[in-house]
């Protein structure tokens, strides 16, 4: 079986095969490992390679693989997977939500001139305020939200034309 | 006074779990209330009874005083524990509970009110001989009033929520031009967090230490302190790591602060558990900041070093019993540290990381206590604080406690959401933390050094991902194939491997 994961901007490929004796062989970038693996009652994987053994935890959410092993956390993404949540913002002047939340204030109107750094929209999530400011000087071309709007991460809130 | 039989818990999450546990030990039945977002929550499952009270937004559920009291009455409760946050420091709610014939597990409404109105508290503290920070609060103050007061105090000033704590509704303002905006935004945040939009000003003491004293008072006039908690490791006024004893204090200053905290409590005829917060300068001058008239998030630190169960004592005190000890009986033993585990992304401006906690397996090592309100599969939502758990360790020395915490953090499995665990590890490993020299500005001014780089991938991590992928995400049979139990608490024998004996 071939698996390909994106991690921190790089793609990593691993080939895994089950051997007749029940152990596994992994090949990563020309490096071969033979190991045994057993899943524990709590879902963890006990992996033994030679004299060494490690317990790893893995969780899956859509195309994301969360791995904890040897005291480190890694977030991997299955490479070449169809991405449903492609960033909806393309124009550099668009103001997007950095996190899901609720718009609690819109401090500009369409057609307003705004200065770089000026607060345009205030979002709130988990009792915290997040102020979203103009990325550059310009004019508010389109407002997509109003106070009370629930927004998702990456959603365009305001379009600012130069 | 009554023996308490059945307690309504007017809160959620880890603190609701904590209170349920104390009640259980005292054979007090528990009633949980929950919003639409919490129907599956751990505290709801643990309580003896649980009732829905409204929509996810706190204003439509956990802040609905009348609904909470109606549930308490109809469920046959004889007392109400408010936890922290929400209505815990709302004197009107406390009074309404008492007026409904229920026992309020907290201080008298009058003491909450006096400490809640900071101008009044300041006058009272000065009368009691407790030093205070210069500040300003006035009901219905205009922006001009605030401006004038800020100029008089001198910038930088802090805008703080009169109604709250926990770092919500706080802004530091360095220039007069920024004051109106800071006040407006602090008011909005305070209204949302505490149901009260009043704010006040205080001189901002840079490079101070935040050290607070736990007090306990019974209704028979006995008041004691349970030493200090050092809470200087903060980011934007949100506490991250708390410990006791404070590495800064000497015994003389500790005794002076303890005596000042007891005097502060007595000045408002305080009863039950409370915390007196001080800002302490490098020269060990201390100033009263405020009194939190409730249980604190970081109360376990005090419990670890004193061996006192603060929540059970809150219940005993509310039932009219006397404190079971005097000041002379109390000792600080060893060193305790608490880390707050948050679902947040330190590499993305610490923004809350919303999502499902697919796996939560807290450390179960010796000397480690985990106070948590979540379980594997729970969602971190936009509605509430993104705290996943509090990890508390106790050991003989500060150095040993730090090592124990480092191990406990690396043992703890939280998968499915980004957390601040790496950030906490970087903090604990920092030489300034090790030296016990962190002030309240340290984290904000050294953030770059505290953000660990994304670790390089290791082959073993890829192997773990692939082996899990090959077998699907659910626990399944392997090797000679016994079906596995997914319950995280039970370490049943593993599927046998030829090369492995149990």
């Amino acid at each position: 079986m071939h698996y390909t994961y994106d991690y921190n901007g790089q793609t990593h490929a691993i080939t895994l095969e089950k051997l007749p004796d029940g152990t596994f062989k992994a090949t990563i970038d020309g490096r071969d490992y033979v190991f045994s693996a057993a899943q524990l009652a709590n879902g963890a994987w006990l992996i033994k390679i030679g004299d060494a053994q490690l317990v790893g935890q893995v969780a899956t959410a859509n195309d994301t693989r969360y791995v904890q092993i040897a005291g480190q956390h890694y977030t991997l993404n299955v490479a070449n997977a169809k991405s449903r949540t492609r960033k909806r913002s393309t124009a550099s002047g668009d103001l997007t939500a950095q996190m899901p939340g609720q718009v609690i204030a819109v401090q500009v109107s369409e057609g307003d001139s705004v200065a770089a750094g000026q607060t345009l929209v205030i979002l709130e999530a988990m009792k915290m305020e997040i102020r979203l400011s103009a990325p550059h000087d310009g004019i508010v071309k389109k407002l997509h939200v109003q106070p009370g709007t629930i927004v998702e991460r990456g959603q365009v809130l305001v379009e600012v034309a130069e | 006074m009554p023996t308490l039989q059945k307690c309504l818990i007017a809160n959620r999450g880890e603190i609701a779990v904590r209170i349920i546990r104390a009640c259980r030990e005292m054979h007090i039945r528990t009633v949980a209330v929950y919003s639409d977002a919490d129907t599956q929550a751990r505290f709801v499952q643990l309580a003896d009874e649980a009732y829905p009270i409204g929509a996810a937004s706190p204003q439509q559920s956990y802040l609905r005083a009348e609904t909470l009291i109606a549930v308490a009455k109809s469920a046959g409760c004889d007392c109400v524990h408010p936890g922290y946050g929400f209505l815990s420091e709302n004197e009107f709610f406390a009074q309404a509970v008492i007026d409904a014939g229920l026992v309020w597990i907290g201080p008298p409404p009058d003491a909450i009110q006096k400490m809640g109105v900071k101008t009044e508290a300041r006058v009272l503290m000065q009368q009691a001989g407790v030093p205070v920070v210069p500040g300003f609060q006035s009901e219905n103050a205009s922006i001009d009033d605030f401006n004038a007061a800020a100029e008089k105090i001198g910038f930088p000033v802090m805008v703080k929520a009169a109604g709250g704590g926990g770092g919500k509704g706080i802004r530091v303002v360095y220039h007069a031009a920024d004051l109106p905006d800071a006040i407006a935004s602090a008011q909005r945040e305070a209204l949302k967090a505490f149901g009260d939009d009043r704010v006040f000003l205080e001189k901002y003491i840079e490079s101070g230490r935040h050290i607070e004293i736990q007090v306990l008072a019974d209704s028979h006039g006995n008041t004691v302190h349970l030493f200090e908690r050092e809470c200087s490791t903060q980011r934007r006024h949100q506490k991250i790591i708390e410990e006791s004893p404070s590495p800064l204090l000497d015994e003389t200053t500790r005794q002076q602060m303890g005596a000042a905290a007891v005097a502060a409590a007595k000045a408002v005829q305080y009863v039950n558990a409370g915390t007196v917060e001080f800002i302490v300068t490098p020269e060990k001058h201390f100033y009263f900041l405020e009194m939190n008239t409730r249980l604190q998030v970081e109360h376990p630190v005090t419990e670890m070093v004193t061996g006192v169960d603060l929540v059970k004592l809150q219940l005993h005190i509310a039932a009219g019993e006397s404190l079971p000890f005097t000041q002379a009986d109390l000792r600080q033993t060893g060193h305790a540290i608490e880390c707050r585990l948050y679902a947040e992304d330190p590499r993305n401006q610490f923004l809350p990381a919303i999502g499902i906690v697919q796996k939560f397996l807290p450390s179960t090592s010796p000397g480690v206590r985990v106070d948590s309100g979540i379980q594997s599969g729970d969602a971190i939502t936009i509605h509430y604080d993104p705290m996943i758990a509090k990890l508390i360790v106790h050991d003989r020395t500060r150095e040993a406690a730090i090592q124990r915490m480092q191990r406990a953090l690396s043992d703890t499995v939280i998968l499915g959401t980004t957390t601040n665990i790496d950030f906490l590890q970087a903090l604990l490993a920092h030489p300034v933390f090790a030296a016990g020299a962190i002030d309240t500005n340290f984290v904000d001014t050294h953030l770059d050094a505290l953000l660990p780089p994304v670790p390089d991938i290791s082959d073993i991590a890829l192997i773990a991902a692939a082996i899990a992928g090959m077998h699907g995400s659910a626990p399944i049979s392997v090797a000679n194939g016994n079906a596995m139990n997914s319950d995280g608490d039970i370490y049943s024998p593993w599927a046998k491997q030829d090369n492995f004996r149990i």
Side-chain angles (χ1 to χ4, degrees), chain B residues 211-434:
Chain B
I211 300 175
E212 59 190 28
I213 305 283
Q214 176 72 52
V215 296
L216 274 177
D218 65 23
S219 52
H220 307 284
N222 304 305
T223 306
V224 300
H225 70 83
L226 289 91
F227 313 102
E228 78 280 11
R229 291 184 292 259
E230 161 101 46
C231 310
S232 301
T233 307
Q234 308 184 346
R235 197 191 136 266
R236 299 193 179 173
H237 315 291
Q238 184 77 49
K239 294 166 189 168
I240 306 168
I241 300 176
E242 301 99 341
E243 59 185 306
S244 184
S246 160
L248 177 74
L249 293 191
D250 54 64
E251 197 51 36
T252 306
T253 313
R254 176 174 294 119
Q255 293 309 325
Q256 288 171 349
M257 289 179 69
V262 168
K266 285 188 166 172
V268 294
Q269 287 85 49
Y270 200 85
V271 177
N272 216 289
T275 295
V276 183
E277 295 191 344
F278 295 97
I279 185 126
V280 185
T281 68
E283 300 77 32
K284 297 180 198 170
H285 299 305
F286 60 90
Y287 302 96
F288 171 87
L289 284 180
E290 63 185 23
M291 182 165 188
N292 294 313
T293 52
R294 55 171 163 82
L295 190 66
Q296 298 273 98
V297 175
E298 60 273 24
H299 75 274
V301 164
T302 298
E303 295 184 322
M304 299 293 257
V305 292
T306 61
V308 167
D309 188 312
L310 289 169
V311 181
K312 284 202 285 186
L313 272 171
Q314 283 194 294
L315 293 157
H316 283 297
I317 289 167
E321 295 172 33
S322 296
L323 286 173
F325 41 65
T326 66
Q327 190 68 58
D329 298 327
L330 293 165
R331 296 277 181 280
Q332 266 170 314
T333 305
H335 198 98
I337 301 176
E338 173 181 278
C339 282
R340 300 189 186 191
L341 266 58
Y342 279 99
E344 64 183 13
D345 187 356
R347 297 183 187 93
N348 183 17
Q349 299 169 61
F350 289 87
L351 290 176
I354 290 154
I356 306 284
V357 178
Q358 306 277 353
K359 268 188 194 173
F360 176 56
L361 301 169
S363 173
T364 51
S365 305
V368 181
R369 165 175 166 182
V370 181
D371 279 22
S372 166
I374 73 152
Q375 58 214 341
S376 295
D378 279 1
I380 304 289
T381 72
I382 64 166
H383 304 293
Y384 311 113
D385 192 273
M387 191 164 76
I388 294 170
K390 306 183 305 203
L391 239 61
I392 310 105
V393 300
H394 188 221
D395 210 330
R396 210 169 52 79
T397 64
R398 185 171 190 269
E399 192 185 3
I402 291 172
Q403 289 169 349
R404 183 158 268 186
M405 180 61 86
Q406 289 171 323
R407 199 211 53 228
L409 286 171
S410 76
D411 284 354
T412 295
V413 175
I414 305 173
L415 298 181
T417 177
T418 307
T419 75
N420 64 340
I421 281 187
D422 292 351
F423 175 66
L424 290 168
Q425 291 283 31
L427 263 173
L428 292 167
H430 197 284
V432 175
F433 185 87

Side-chain angles (χ1 to χ4, degrees), chain A residues 3 7 12 31 33 36 39-41 48 53 57-58 61 66 68 98 122 124 126-127 129 131 153, chain B residues 181 185 188-189 192 352 359 361 381-382 384 410 412-413 416 454-455 459 470 476 485 490 494 497:
Chain A
Y3 300 89
Y7 176 77
H12 303 271
R31 297 181 295 279
Y33 302 92
S36 66
Q39 195 166 23
L40 311 186
K48 292 175 63 109
Q53 60 173 23
Q57 287 279 0
V58 182
Y66 300 92
Q68 180 177 3
Q98 298 154 280
I122 303 175
E124 194 201 69
M126 297 190 247
K127 300 186 284 185
E129 284 194 7
R131 317 185 131 238
R153 185 173 178 142
Chain B
D181 196 35
S185 107
R188 274 194 303 274
E189 201 171 290
K192 199 97 171 180
K359 268 188 194 173
L361 301 169
T381 72
I382 64 166
Y384 311 113
S410 76
T412 295
V413 175
V454 177
D459 286 351
M470 181 180 258
I476 45 96
N485 177 348
I490 299 165
W494 315 316
Q497 294 280 108

Side-chain angles (χ1 to χ4, degrees), chain B residues 9-28:
Chain B
I9 295 150
N11 215 299
R12 63 176 301 283
E14 68 90 14
I15 196 61
V17 171
R18 170 75 186 90
I19 296 163
I20 289 169
R21 286 195 172 134
C23 288
R24 279 272 155 78
E25 289 178 30
M26 294 171 66
H27 305 289
I28 297 169

